[in-house]
């Protein structure tokens, strides 16, 4: 199962896989950038999009209803870049960037805290149950002073995850528009 | 030393006459981008299609081409390009320039032997 996007290309609407959409829109912005024609670029893009729409329509004749990544790759290979080079050189670096593993950073969690968000932050970082950690901390607190000081030191040193980006990183999620929206304070 | 890149020289030569080719095709009959592409590909003038679109727009901005939208049976309207009077003038000039080049090359080749 895949998520799809509906887009208008060259005055026609198409249903397109999300990954294919990402690639196509990256290609279009690269093409526009490389055209270097100022405001006339939109005329060029209009012609280009019309051609893309035509090629997609050809593909649809074989009763495929959703544009996928391999179709987009075929079209991009056929169209190339305005200076006549193939688009591949431009993409290899970009793709590497996209498949890069999301980073996981240690932050204190402001949305799930009893005292300073230290336990929930640790739980996110090591991917363990926050309740277990809290119990552990309380036990060490009763047993001796170590748990208390550890907590205080972490509280001081580790920053609170304030922005949506930081909240993504705290959970080890990729920083995508969708994830950012999930943790954005404006949506609540 | 770099090796002599034959393909590169050839593609440079083609690039130089691509605008001339577009005007030539359009002087015969109006065409929309895709049919231009088919003709240019058959003539091995272009490899990737992307090169054509900026050229079309540039020639249009220079007043050499004009375009109109035309209804089509297979979907949305198509953008048809046609050559203007200014374009025809330039084409005539290019025709004579081309002839000159061909003659010059022939002359040089002949002299050498």
């Amino acid at each position: 199962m895949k998520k799809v996007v509906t887009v208008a290309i060259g005055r026609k609407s198409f249903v397109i896989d999300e990954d294919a959409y990402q690639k196509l829109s990256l290609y279009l912005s690269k093409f526009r950038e490389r055209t270097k024609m100022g405001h006339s670029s939109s005329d060029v893009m209009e012609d280009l999009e019309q051609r893309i729409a035509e090629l997609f329509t050809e593909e649809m004749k074989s009763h495929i209803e959703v544009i996928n990544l391999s179709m987009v790759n075929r079209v991009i290979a056929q169209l190339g870049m305005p200076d006549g080079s193939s688009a591949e050189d431009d993409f290899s670096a970009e793709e590497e960037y996209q498949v890069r593993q999301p980073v996981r950073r240690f932050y204190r969690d402001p949305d799930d805290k009893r005292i300073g968000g230290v336990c929930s932050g640790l739980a996110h970082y090591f991917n363990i149950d926050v309740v277990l950690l809290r119990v552990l901390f309380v036990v060490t607190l009763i047993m001796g002073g170590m748990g208390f000081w550890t907590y205080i030191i972490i509280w001081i040193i580790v920053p609170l995850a304030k922005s949506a980006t930081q909240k993504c990183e705290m959970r080890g999620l990729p920083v995508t528009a969708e994830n950012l929206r999930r943790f954005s304070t404006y949506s609540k | 030393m770099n090796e002599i890149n034959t393909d590169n020289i050839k593609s440079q030569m083609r690039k130089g006459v691509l605008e001339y080719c577009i005007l030539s095709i359009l002087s015969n009959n109006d065409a929309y981008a895709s049919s231009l592409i088919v003709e240019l590909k058959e003539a091995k003038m272009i490899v990737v299609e992307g090169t054509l679109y900026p050229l079309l727009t540039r020639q249009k901005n220079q007043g050499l081409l004009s375009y109109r939208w035309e209804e089509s049976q297979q979907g949305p309207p198509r953008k048809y390009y046609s050559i203007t009077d200014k374009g025809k003038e330039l084409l005539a000039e290019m025709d004579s320039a081309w002839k000159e080049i061909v003659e010059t090359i022939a002359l040089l080749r002949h002299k050498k032997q």
Side-chain angles (χ1 to χ4, degrees):
Chain A
M1 194 175 76
K2 264 184 170 178
K3 212 167 174 181
V4 294
V5 187
T6 309
V7 288
I9 307 169
R11 303 183 177 194
K12 271 195 87 162
S13 71
F14 293 96
V15 178
I16 177 168
D17 279 337
E18 202 176 17
D19 51 352
Y21 166 76
Q22 300 276 359
K23 175 117 189 207
L24 187 64
S25 81
L26 188 69
Y27 167 71
L28 288 176
S29 62
K30 285 258 154 203
F31 194 97
R32 181 183 282 270
E33 209 175 278
R34 295 267 287 268
T35 304
K36 293 181 193 129
M37 280 178 72
H39 64 276
S40 299
S41 294
S42 6
D43 285 338
V44 179
M45 296 314 284
E46 187 181 67
D47 281 4
L48 183 74
E49 284 196 19
Q50 214 193 355
R51 179 66 176 159
I52 293 172
E54 230 172 58
L55 294 173
F56 281 165
T57 311
E58 281 295 310
E59 299 269 7
M60 300 310 228
K61 278 183 184 153
S62 46
H63 300 286
I64 296 168
E65 284 174 10
V66 180
I67 307 285
N68 60 31
L69 191 59
S70 73
M71 287 181 197
V72 167
N73 283 335
R74 263 205 302 281
V75 166
I76 290 174
Q78 192 176 338
L79 294 173
M81 281 292 163
D83 54 7
S85 62
S86 77
E88 290 310 312
D89 325 338
D90 271 69
F91 276 115
S92 42
E94 294 283 339
E95 271 174 336
E96 243 168 65
Y97 178 72
Q98 282 194 335
V99 296
R100 201 183 59 174
Q101 284 298 309
V103 286
R104 189 186 281 265
R105 289 211 173 88
F106 186 19
Y107 285 108
R108 289 181 291 118
D109 189 352
D111 303 326
D112 177 26
K113 62 174 187 181
R114 292 291 173 271
I115 307 166
V118 169
C119 284
S120 49
L122 273 172
H124 283 305
Y125 192 75
F126 293 110
N127 208 9
I128 43 178
D129 191 358
V130 64
V131 178
L132 192 76
L133 266 180
R134 286 195 179 120
V135 170
L136 218 71
F137 261 105
V138 171
V139 169
T140 50
L141 203 65
I142 296 161
M143 301 277 276
M146 274 307 286
F148 175 76
W149 289 111
T150 313
Y151 195 97
I152 297 294
I153 289 164
I154 295 175
W155 195 356
I156 294 165
I157 292 172
V158 177
L160 202 64
K162 286 189 195 114
S163 70
T165 311
Q166 289 171 335
K167 285 175 190 175
C168 285
E169 285 174 350
M170 178 178 73
R171 291 171 171 84
L173 295 170
V175 185
T176 59
E178 197 185 338
N179 282 334
L180 286 177
R181 208 178 312 123
R182 260 175 70 193
F183 300 117
S184 165
T185 39
Y186 300 107
S187 61
K188 280 170 194 166
Chain B
M1 277 297 283
N2 288 333
E3 256 179 83
I4 299 166
N5 192 340
T6 324
D7 286 337
N8 188 36
I9 294 172
K10 280 186 193 164
S11 87
Q12 289 294 329
M13 284 167 99
R14 287 201 191 97
K15 229 178 240 174
V17 291
L18 189 54
E19 299 197 34
Y20 181 31
C21 289
I22 296 171
L23 292 177
S24 303
I25 293 170
L26 290 176
S27 73
N28 294 329
N29 51 296
D30 297 353
Y32 75 108
S34 301
S35 63
L36 267 174
I37 282 163
V38 171
E39 276 200 59
L40 289 170
K41 269 192 169 170
E42 271 173 10
K44 294 201 172 125
M45 287 300 302
I46 53 171
V47 182
V48 291
E49 301 179 3
T51 29
L52 183 73
Y53 305 106
L55 274 183
L56 282 175
T57 301
R58 197 175 308 135
Q59 290 189 321
K60 188 203 76 197
N61 290 347
Q62 288 167 342
L64 304 172
L65 306 179
S66 63
Y67 69 84
R68 62 176 190 279
W69 289 98
E70 223 168 74
E71 294 298 321
S72 125
Q73 282 106 1
Q74 308 146 332
R78 285 167 170 177
K79 203 175 177 182
Y80 271 80
Y81 283 95
S82 53
I83 193 166
T84 60
D85 290 338
K86 199 178 165 191
K88 280 177 189 158
E89 273 170 41
L90 183 75
L91 182 62
E93 265 177 59
M94 283 178 135
D95 274 333
S96 60
W98 179 251
K99 233 169 118 188
E100 240 172 72
I101 291 170
V102 172
E103 276 166 12
T104 310
I105 296 288
L107 202 70
L108 289 172
R109 300 282 296 158
H110 192 69
K111 228 187 219 172
K112 215 174 103 187
Q113 280 164 9

